[in-house]
Amino acid sequence: MIPFEGPVLVTGTDTGVGKTVATAAIAAALIRQGRSVDVIKIAQTGDDDDAAEVTRLSGAPARALAAYPDPLAPFAAARRSGLPLLKLAEVVDAALDSPAEVVLLEGAGGLLVQLGEDGWTARDLAVELGCPAVVVTRAGLGTLNHTALTLEALARRGIDAAIVVGAWPHDPGIAEYENLTDLPGDRLGWIPDGAAALDPEAFRLAATEWLALPERPD
């Protein structure tokens, strides 16, 4: 199982897989263990405010390092807006400067989406920090291939990873049940679909049931 100490990347197999809610659940579960947690949304695009949503659900402080108005991949959104692209070193410094025991770094889109200057990706960030990754996956058809490809891309760079199913449906079918058996990699748990609609206190209590995180080291 991956360690939750220092920086930890939270990435996904695709966009819309539930990274933000999974990040909030991980943060809430870690806080319940008595750990200090800082959350960094690497780059926000469109009208959403993922950092505010993480704070609302988990109570952890969260912030975005860059924000672009168009709901596109950060590299394209920055280009269209004329706003500066993030430098990889800026994100590394933000992660290492945090005094928190655990720093969750939420990406945008999938693992290899270009996030900043010179086209660096979430995988490049994990390599630079030497940190593990949580991969948020879908439950339905197609997830086996997408998850295996993402885990392989991380393993090729020596990055340890575990998975979380980002939105387990209320009425799962045969594909979801079979995928739950066949998904590759170490599994931290699953988040029920619609979890963000819970009262924050209920969300924080439930997060410890959804996820099996390693205990706080002595």
Side-chain angles (χ1 to χ4, degrees):
M1 190 62 66
I2 63 171
F4 282 84
E5 303 171 48
V8 177
L9 173 69
V10 182
T11 187
T13 55
D14 198 357
T15 190
V17 296
K19 287 189 301 297
T20 297
V21 177
T23 299
I26 294 168
L30 291 170
I31 290 170
R32 293 283 294 180
Q33 291 183 354
R35 306 201 212 188
S36 59
V37 180
D38 190 12
V39 178
I40 296 174
K41 174 71 177 181
I42 298 168
Q44 179 71 60
T45 64
D47 295 331
D48 293 335
D49 189 341
D50 292 346
E53 181 71 346
V54 168
T55 296
R56 182 184 73 83
L57 290 171
S58 71
R63 66 193 188 280
L65 297 184
Y68 306 107
D70 292 312
L72 302 168
F75 196 86
R79 181 177 62 230
R80 282 183 57 86
S81 68
L83 294 169
L85 286 159
L86 272 174
K87 294 180 173 64
L88 178 58
E90 293 174 334
V91 186
V92 170
D93 288 345
L96 296 181
D97 287 346
S98 172
E101 294 174 68
V102 183
V103 182
L104 300 176
L105 296 149
E106 184 190 343
L111 176 67
L112 299 183
V113 168
Q114 294 179 319
L115 299 178
E117 188 176 80
D118 299 323
W120 64 268
T121 68
R123 181 174 69 173
D124 296 322
L125 176 62
V127 170
E128 192 72 17
L129 288 168
C131 73
V134 174
V135 177
V136 183
T137 74
R138 297 188 191 278
L141 287 174
T143 193
L144 299 181
N145 181 60
H146 295 159
T147 303
L149 287 171
T150 303
L151 292 174
E152 180 179 332
L154 289 164
R156 287 174 65 88
R157 297 293 179 87
I159 302 164
D160 293 331
I163 67 168
V164 170
V165 178
W168 182 254
H170 295 295
D171 187 20
I174 188 170
E176 286 78 14
Y177 279 121
E178 292 300 322
N179 286 341
L180 198 60
T181 299
D182 294 335
L183 274 166
D186 292 331
R187 195 172 312 164
L188 295 173
W190 52 273
I191 314 296
D193 191 25
L198 291 173
D199 174 83
E201 286 302 319
F203 181 94
R204 296 168 196 179
L205 286 172
T208 60
E209 300 175 5
W210 301 331
L211 301 169
L213 302 185
E215 292 298 320
R216 183 180 188 177
D218 294 331

